[in-house]
Amino acid sequence: GESARRRTPTMGRVNTILGMVLSFAFIMAGSQKITPTINPEVHEYLATNAKSWGPVWVPLFRKAMTTLGLDEQTGAVEKLLLDDGSKTYGVMLTNIGYLECVCAAMLLSSLFSGIATILLICTMGGAIYTHLQLDQPFVPAAALLTLLVIKLILPGGDASSAEKGGAKPKKKPSTGRSKKDETAQILAQKNMKGRLLGLDCAVWGCPASSRGGEVEI
């Protein structure tokens, strides 16, 4: 209906603004995990906590690799994703930072926004699980997760969403002829009938009311 068509562009703008806010938030969060350049204190805090975050995921990771039948590759993959053997789990922290930065950039693209939102929802879900296991506050992660879910539910912010919101009126099929052409065709048919009737009168004779070339139709 009309209200749905008005509401869809508004929701699309809200989705776009929300995507920009989330993109900025995850660029900041991700970059602080990667480098101490932006805020050395925050980076140091994250690096310190990563030492307790990593052990939460190591058993789950190894169990998943065993389930997949990849026991022989567990050590190599673990060094690439979680820890290089130093037990600092700086590798895991850096990988999460890169993931958040890449997804933050993807949020600004209508083509990849959906994929980025789902990846970040999984990331925030993992963060909440980690904090719960360690009895740590998880409100920031829960707030970001809520905003991501809202963004995923809202209609897209692309320009075509307004057209998709309501049904377009159907056009009547064109017959290829105008009303004027149809009228001319009817008159031509009547004229032809009159001429044929006049020819019959000349050959076979007509009633008195039809003589003189006048034919009533």
Side-chain angles (χ1 to χ4, degrees):
E2 185 66 24
S3 60
R5 286 195 295 269
R6 292 176 181 175
R7 185 166 59 252
T8 301
T10 302
M11 294 297 99
R13 286 191 288 269
V14 172
N15 192 316
T16 302
I17 295 173
L18 186 57
M20 295 173 65
V21 172
L22 287 169
S23 178
F24 175 78
F26 279 106
I27 284 178
M28 295 299 297
S31 59
Q32 288 174 350
K33 292 181 177 70
I34 297 171
T35 175
T37 304
I38 299 177
N39 193 323
E41 294 181 359
V42 173
H43 179 77
E44 182 64 25
Y45 169 81
L46 294 171
T48 302
N49 280 273
K51 296 176 183 178
S52 60
W53 297 340
V56 174
W57 291 96
V58 170
L60 298 175
F61 172 77
R62 292 176 179 174
K63 183 178 181 180
M65 294 293 286
T66 301
T67 303
L68 296 173
L70 301 173
D71 294 294
E72 297 181 357
Q73 292 78 24
T74 299
V77 178
E78 185 175 327
K79 289 182 179 179
L80 290 175
L81 298 180
L82 298 177
D83 186 60
D84 56 3
S86 63
K87 301 299 181 180
T88 61
Y89 297 94
V91 174
M92 181 188 73
L93 186 67
T94 302
N95 287 336
I96 294 174
Y98 280 122
L99 175 64
E100 290 178 345
C101 288
V102 171
C103 289
M106 293 170 63
L107 284 175
L108 301 177
S109 169
S110 59
L111 184 62
F112 301 108
S113 178
I115 298 175
T117 303
I118 293 173
L119 289 175
L120 289 172
I121 286 175
C122 295
T123 303
M124 292 300 99
I128 293 173
Y129 173 79
T130 302
H131 293 312
L132 287 175
Q133 292 297 312
L134 299 174
D135 195 21
Q136 295 176 346
F138 59 91
V139 174
L144 289 173
L145 177 62
T146 303
L147 293 177
L148 287 166
V149 172
I150 293 174
K151 175 171 173 52
L152 190 65
I153 296 174
L154 288 176
D158 55 306
S160 61
S161 61
E163 298 179 359
K164 296 177 183 177
K168 294 181 179 180
K170 295 182 179 180
K171 294 182 179 181
K172 294 182 179 180
S174 176
T175 59
R177 296 184 303 175
S178 64
K179 188 174 182 180
K180 184 178 180 181
D181 294 336
E182 293 178 357
T183 303
Q185 184 177 5
I186 293 173
L187 292 176
Q189 290 175 353
K190 288 184 178 181
N191 189 26
M192 180 62 69
K193 288 181 181 179
R195 290 180 181 180
L196 290 175
L197 186 57
L199 181 61
D200 288 342
C201 288
V203 176
W204 304 103
C206 297
S209 61
S210 300
R211 291 175 183 175
E214 295 292 336
V215 181
E216 295 181 2
I217 299 176

